[in-house]
Amino acid sequence: MKKFKALKILAIILASITLFLVIVNLIPPKKNVENNPFLVKKGDLPMIAAHRGGGDCNPENTMLAFREAVKTYGVEIIESDLYLTKDNYLVYNHDSYVDETCNINGDLTLDAVEELCRDKSRRHYISELTLEELRQYNFGYYFENADGERIYKDETDLAGKGLQIATVEQLFEEFYESNPNLMFIVEIKDEGERGYEACRILNETLERFPSYRDQIVVGTFHDEIETELKAKYPDLLRGAPTGTAAVFIVTQLLGVNLFDGSDFACLQIPTSYDVGITLNLDKKTFIKRAHRRNVAVQYWTINDEETMRELIELGCDCIMTNNPALLRRVLEEYRAAQS
């Protein structure tokens, strides 16, 4: 009798939990943002985001790479990181130092540069160099083509070839008239006061290119910069910082996303994440839950054809890749097969 009563209580508890979860998932969640240009329409294929401008195809984060990504491969989004120079210009680079992307150390091999960079005191940091100083160097110096040839190593017309370090203003100006629908994913890498200044300069630059203001999503790993963006530039779309993204992912996986209070526009994630156990994030149900919040799901950094095809099937909004040429081909083949 006692065993039956205990089972009955357990059944009631389980039924209550199930009913609760059903009700929670039936209630339409509040949208994170009302208008999100980074969402693709139902039935449309994912957008291409050229990660670092497409560093497998051209020297990363250079105007040459950005031009090729837009004009040749037809990408919808340019993705890169932003750093503030010594004289307060916002430039594109993946790391805080430039030793591995240009010839600032003279005629060294990349292996020698990597060895040099292990000593942080020997690195050349963007924060310690002016824009004029940075523009002396060839940012295609170490790029190798498909045949392993360093085809830009001896280039001298750096400005003409688009091999200098690129600024935010330069990139916006390049495409503002010819590609008014181009979108941008940027991450502010500086922290503290320099990060605040980077936010201010980015906002000021966007005031000169107003059409791009609603077509850029800004991310950061620094809590104080996230707070600054929310407080002073609330009209700018934001990507999910790591902690907020983790909470969002957990609530989606548990089916209780109604209780998530985030307000970011884009969730930029890998296909899986290791937290002691492997969380697989490449799931159609997960994308659908994010879409209920008007959140765009953008996967990084995908450079193999098989994963590209899997993500296309899932219906994600964007695939970030170092190889936009490959992704363009995969999308065209997929589209042709569906027609």
Side-chain angles (χ1 to χ4, degrees):
M1 188 70 178
K2 288 183 178 180
K3 185 176 180 181
F4 176 77
K5 187 175 181 179
L7 289 173
K8 185 178 180 181
I9 292 172
L10 179 60
I12 292 171
I13 293 172
L14 291 174
S16 299
I17 292 173
T18 302
L19 180 62
F20 170 76
L21 291 174
V22 169
I23 292 173
V24 163
N25 281 277
L26 285 176
I27 299 172
K30 180 183 176 182
K31 293 181 179 180
N32 281 31
V33 293
E34 280 302 318
N35 299 307
N36 191 343
F38 291 92
L39 281 168
V40 296
K41 296 178 181 178
K42 189 173 182 179
D44 285 355
L45 298 183
M47 296 185 232
I48 302 175
H51 185 252
R52 309 185 196 178
D56 283 357
C57 301
N58 291 284
E60 64 178 56
N61 291 315
T62 61
M63 288 306 301
L64 173 60
F66 297 144
R67 288 167 185 157
E68 285 292 298
V70 175
K71 302 296 185 183
T72 301
Y73 310 127
V75 307
E76 294 89 350
I77 305 171
I78 294 291
E79 184 280 341
S80 194
D81 303 322
L82 293 175
Y83 287 94
L84 199 62
T85 66
K86 183 178 180 180
D87 53 344
N88 287 355
Y89 285 91
L90 273 180
V91 296
Y92 293 99
N93 204 65
H94 182 256
D95 296 311
S96 59
Y97 53 95
V98 296
D99 301 81
E100 294 180 358
T101 46
C102 76
N103 59 333
I104 197 167
N105 295 291
D107 188 18
L108 297 182
T109 66
L110 188 53
D111 287 341
V113 170
E114 288 176 351
E115 177 65 29
L116 177 151
C117 286
R118 290 190 180 96
D119 179 357
K120 294 183 179 180
S121 67
R122 299 177 68 190
R123 296 174 180 174
H124 293 85
Y125 290 95
I126 291 172
S127 61
E128 298 172 355
L129 295 162
T130 66
L131 180 61
E132 183 178 358
E133 289 170 332
L134 285 164
R135 281 183 167 167
Q136 299 176 49
Y137 302 110
N138 180 354
F139 280 77
Y141 191 79
Y142 292 109
F143 175 78
E144 294 183 352
N145 66 9
D147 297 320
E149 300 169 326
R150 290 167 61 182
I151 56 176
Y152 301 114
K153 179 177 181 292
D154 299 317
E155 182 60 57
T156 56
D157 183 14
L158 302 181
K161 292 290 186 180
L163 292 171
Q164 293 177 316
I165 200 165
T167 68
V168 163
E169 183 173 18
Q170 186 181 6
L171 180 59
F172 289 171
E173 191 172 61
E174 176 79 22
F175 297 110
Y176 195 65
E177 296 296 332
S178 61
N179 297 81
N181 295 320
L182 187 63
M183 293 188 284
F184 306 88
I185 298 171
V186 299
E187 183 181 326
I188 293 177
K189 300 301 286 279
D190 291 291
E191 58 186 318
E193 292 299 326
R194 289 184 61 80
Y196 300 151
E197 183 66 4
C199 292
R200 187 193 67 77
I201 292 171
L202 177 60
N203 180 70
E204 184 180 90
T205 305
L206 285 167
E207 288 176 353
R208 299 197 294 275
F209 303 92
S211 295
Y212 281 165
R213 191 173 192 84
D214 297 326
Q215 295 166 203
I216 187 169
V217 60
V218 186
T220 179
F221 279 110
H222 306 297
D223 291 342
E224 76 277 13
I225 306 305
E226 171 73 4
T227 300
E228 179 84 351
L229 288 167
K230 292 176 72 171
K232 292 189 177 179
Y233 315 102
D235 59 323
L236 290 179
L237 296 176
R238 287 176 288 102
T242 305
T244 306
V247 171
F248 185 83
I249 288 167
V250 169
T251 61
Q252 311 311 300
L253 294 175
L254 295 177
V256 291
N257 57 317
L258 183 67
F259 299 101
D260 173 70
S262 60
D263 58 357
F264 56 84
C266 297
L267 186 66
Q268 294 135 355
I269 53 175
T271 55
S272 64
Y273 189 66
D274 190 357
V275 288
I277 61 170
T278 300
L279 294 177
N280 293 316
L281 305 179
D282 52 347
K283 296 184 179 297
K284 187 172 290 190
T285 53
F286 176 74
I287 294 172
K288 286 182 177 179
R289 288 184 179 278
H291 285 174
R292 291 182 71 195
R293 301 291 299 262
N294 237 26
V295 171
V297 182
Q298 304 171 327
Y299 286 97
W300 55 263
T301 303
I302 312 302
N303 298 316
D304 67 284
E305 185 171 338
E306 181 180 356
T307 308
M308 288 174 180
R309 292 188 181 277
E310 290 172 355
L311 293 176
I312 292 169
E313 286 286 346
L314 289 179
C316 69
D317 300 284
C318 167
I319 298 174
M320 300 187 208
T321 181
N322 292 319
N323 195 336
L326 173 62
L327 181 51
R328 173 55 64 197
R329 176 176 65 78
V330 170
L331 285 166
E332 288 176 352
E333 290 174 356
Y334 186 91
R335 185 178 288 110
Q338 300 302 306
S339 61

